[in-house]
Amino acid sequence: MPFKKPKLPSDAIKRIGDWIDLGAPYDAPLTDVSSEPKGPMVVTDDDRNFWSFQPLSKPQVPEVTDEAWCRTDIDRFILASLEANGLTANPDADARTLMRRAAFGLVGLPAQNTSDQAALDDDVWESMIDELLASPHYGERWARHWMDVARFAESYGYEQDYDRPHAYHYRDFLIKAFNADMPFDQFVRWQLAGDEFAPNDPLAKMATGFLGAGVFPTQLTEAEFESTRYDELDDMTATTGVAFLGLSVGCARCHDHKFDPIPTRDYYRLAATFTKTIRSEIELDLDPDANENRRLEFAEKSKLLTAAINDYETGPLRVAFEAWLESHDELPSEDWIVLAADRIESNGTYEVQADNSILATGSSPNQNTITFYATVPQKNLTALRIEALTDPSLPRRGPGLAGNGNFVLSDLSVAFDRTQNGKATPRKIKLSAANATHQQNTADLSVAASIDDHPTTGWAVDFGGIGKDNAAVFTFAEPLLVEESGLLKIEMRFDHPNPKHVLGRLRLSVTGLPTPPVVVGGTGPDAATLAALDAVRNGSQDPEQLKTALNWFKSTQPAWTTLNQSLADHIAKGAGVKLTKVQISSENVPKLEHHANGRGYPHFYETTHLLDRGDVHQKQGVVKSGLLEVLNADGADISEWSLPKPENATTDFSRATLATWLTDPNNVSGQLVARVIVNRIWQHHFGQGLVATPNDFGFQGERPTHPELLDWLAADLIDNGWKLKRLHKQIMLSSVYRQSSTFHSDRSKLDPDNRLLWRRTPRRLEAEAIRDSMLAVSGQLDPTMYGPGTLDVNMKRRSIYFFVKRSKLIPMMMLFDWPEHLVSIGQRSTTTIAPQALMFMNSPQGRRHATAFAARLDTAAPIADAYQLAFGRAPSTRESELAEAFLRQQIDVYSQAKIANAAEAALTDFCQTLFSMNEFIYVD
């Protein structure tokens, strides 16, 4: 006090104390009151003098008196502070304690091998650290720490709390990134703009799940749309601020920050960075090597099948065709002659298929009219057939485009457009009867309703015809004698009021039979093919006619049909490339479906405004993407960090600019990011960071206990490629990390909170490590990595793979202070409550773990084996005696109760007791 000014002299403080003791009387304002309205915040160089806003100092390593205690330069910084305060450090912990400490710290699981030696050889210790850092479990452990910071969850939150089933890929990214020792500057850049920095890398796109991990209310009214979007922007902006900079940027949303030099305009400039960023789900190739092998195998088999067809066509087929030409076999004649389209008119898009059917592609209107023109054979025609055919591309395979696969042919008309003297003269053909292989009913949705002049009735095929091929035959009132050139015009109207009740795939054919069969299939060659066959049999050498005739002939040959079908089946099956749906955050991507979409939620607005008091109804003007002034020198411009935008870019690269600024090692912004992550790593190794408020490096946060060490570590991190595994090893090789937790009352009087680190502070394991340890010790741990999580409390995988549903958090995890995953959590609380003990004593999960633990023990020495598995040590003589007495007592109790397998039940009780001991859940 006073705020942001030097401390008052002692005599002034005494006078204030005396005044308070007198009841704090006053007869005038205690502070200067100005009637002038307060203007916008101005960031000054004095603001930049605050410790976290200054450039890294890169201090010299201090000299110390007890040089023998120091293993690393970290120790010299710690010891210099201890010696300056009249304190000494504890000696090393014993080997077993250090091994357990390292294993829990780096991988979150009990050490597989421990030692009963008093001291641990330095080379053995370093080798163990390297082994743990190389373990895939390291990524699982440290990804879970970052998930707290990233407020990661797999549901939207709020009342409905719908799931985000593909959000887990962000968690998988974290595990892979930590295991691969991804440089932390890249780790930051990819989470903010991986789609811009590495658009072809699936892992980079998975990383952007960071931005979309926050809560969102999916049930909205139109009046809430804009304010909700600003809430989304706030979630992204505020989380970016605390996660990477350790600054509560979000506090400047409604007014200039009350404590830190962050004006409201800076907040909205940061928020504008995310103006068009939305959640989306896209399909990504997460296994490119395997998919490339699938493509190569597919191409090779396609090549072989094609070659087999070519060999057949140039050899046996050609011989058989020549023999057929010389024969006197009759030309083909079938019941139905398929019509080949001369042209098609439609409000939707239809493409002609190889079998002369037409298939709807692209979008379709709710109602449609399809007009089909075709040349017809020169013969008497008695009927028209419409085949309603299925296709995999249609809803429920069709044959209609409606959501249930249905259609309604509301009206059908047929005419013959005769061409005479260059003019088309239409002649309407009356339809006298209609029959179908299947019709929905015998009334308004029957086949006869298609020719009843009523616009909303017509042929439909639900209740038995969905997903099946169907046919309708329409008989002409009088035969059509085709003697002159012209086109058959077939107009099909689909006017049913239900949307998209339109045929998706159809084929048209005609017949001259007096009583044509009502069947699907049985079609013969079209008119052009029949003409070509006749000409070729009569000696024509016209290339097109020969080609047409040969194409028809080979379709009649079983050998060719078999070969062609094999190729068609192979192509239809495809290469089997496996793509995975992933939730990402980007721009100009499909919008993630949720309930607000139905009301027209826009997902983003084109511009971001500065809002007075954070109110969307009090817009003060459009803002452009910008940065925090306090972390830049006066006059710095955002263009210094802007990246050139590629020509094919679909985003505006504002996020890439922000990420580049955040990771610039030559600017205070990047140096602060280094301080923050160094502090987080230190916190998880020691229980408390060098700055005790890991998410707040501002004025309201704690000051660093060892500011020179923090800057030295941050500078070292940057100078060595932002590698976190190196930082872990650096810390763990130090003597301060290896200290014992022995308590000394005299030292405690000088530093009761152990802020100067004169000893190791005992720490309880987190919820994940406790549960995972129970699984590991009982031999039940499933090491399967990655993939979707689950809400099943009996899951055997590591706890990081629990599905994080905000309204249905795992009870056992909550007992041990699992976060609620609503906002960024820099440090979890540690509470001690009675239900924690009850979890070990009474829960079904605890009993199952104890049963499995007991079952794996060495029957010859179960007590010693149990202690070794649970605590990494042998029991003392006294512990063995007590355990033996306990087992005898329990066996006697169960035997008197006539419980089968009394010895096994007693051993399970014993294992449950070990789980309940402090030594199991406390590292030191």
Side-chain angles (χ1 to χ4, degrees), residues 32-49:
D32 293 334
V33 179
S34 173
S35 60
E36 295 292 327
K38 185 178 179 182
M41 177 185 286
V42 176
V43 178
T44 67
D45 285 339
D46 284 343
D47 293 320
R48 296 186 179 96
N49 286 331

Side-chain angles (χ1 to χ4, degrees), residues 465-632:
I466 303 299
K468 299 178 182 179
D469 293 334
N470 299 272
V473 174
F474 299 89
T475 305
F476 299 160
E478 296 181 2
L480 172 64
L481 178 60
V482 183
E483 296 177 340
E484 305 167 67
S485 60
L487 295 175
L488 198 62
K489 176 185 176 183
I490 303 162
E491 184 179 271
M492 295 162 282
R493 299 182 64 86
F494 300 89
D495 295 331
H496 197 274
N498 287 346
K500 298 187 185 301
H501 275 59
V502 181
L503 263 173
R505 183 183 173 204
L506 64 140
R507 182 169 57 200
L508 302 176
S509 50
V510 292
T511 184
L513 295 176
T515 309
V518 184
V519 295
V520 176
T523 56
D526 58 36
T529 301
L530 286 171
L533 289 171
D534 185 58
V536 170
R537 286 292 292 269
N538 286 287
S540 172
Q541 294 299 310
D542 180 80
E544 286 302 316
Q545 290 182 326
L546 281 169
K547 180 181 178 181
T548 300
L550 180 60
N551 284 341
W552 171 83
F553 178 76
K554 66 186 180 185
S555 69
T556 67
Q557 303 300 296
W560 183 89
T561 302
T562 300
L563 290 171
N564 190 61
Q565 188 62 48
S566 296
L567 178 60
D569 291 344
H570 175 65
I571 293 173
K573 184 178 179 182
V577 171
K578 296 181 179 178
L579 300 179
T580 305
K581 188 171 285 188
V582 177
Q583 180 180 313
I584 66 165
S585 299
S586 187
E587 302 160 38
N588 292 310
V589 288
K591 300 170 183 176
L592 188 62
E593 289 294 325
H594 53 63
H595 280 68
N597 291 7
R599 287 184 172 267
Y601 181 68
H603 289 257
F604 72 91
Y605 294 86
E606 290 292 335
T607 55
T608 295
H609 292 78
L610 191 154
L611 306 180
D612 187 22
R613 298 181 179 273
D615 183 359
V616 295
H617 302 295
Q618 300 186 58
K619 296 182 174 70
Q620 303 299 301
V622 174
V623 292
K624 294 183 179 180
S625 179
L627 309 169
L628 296 183
E629 296 175 60
V630 72
L631 299 182
N632 292 336

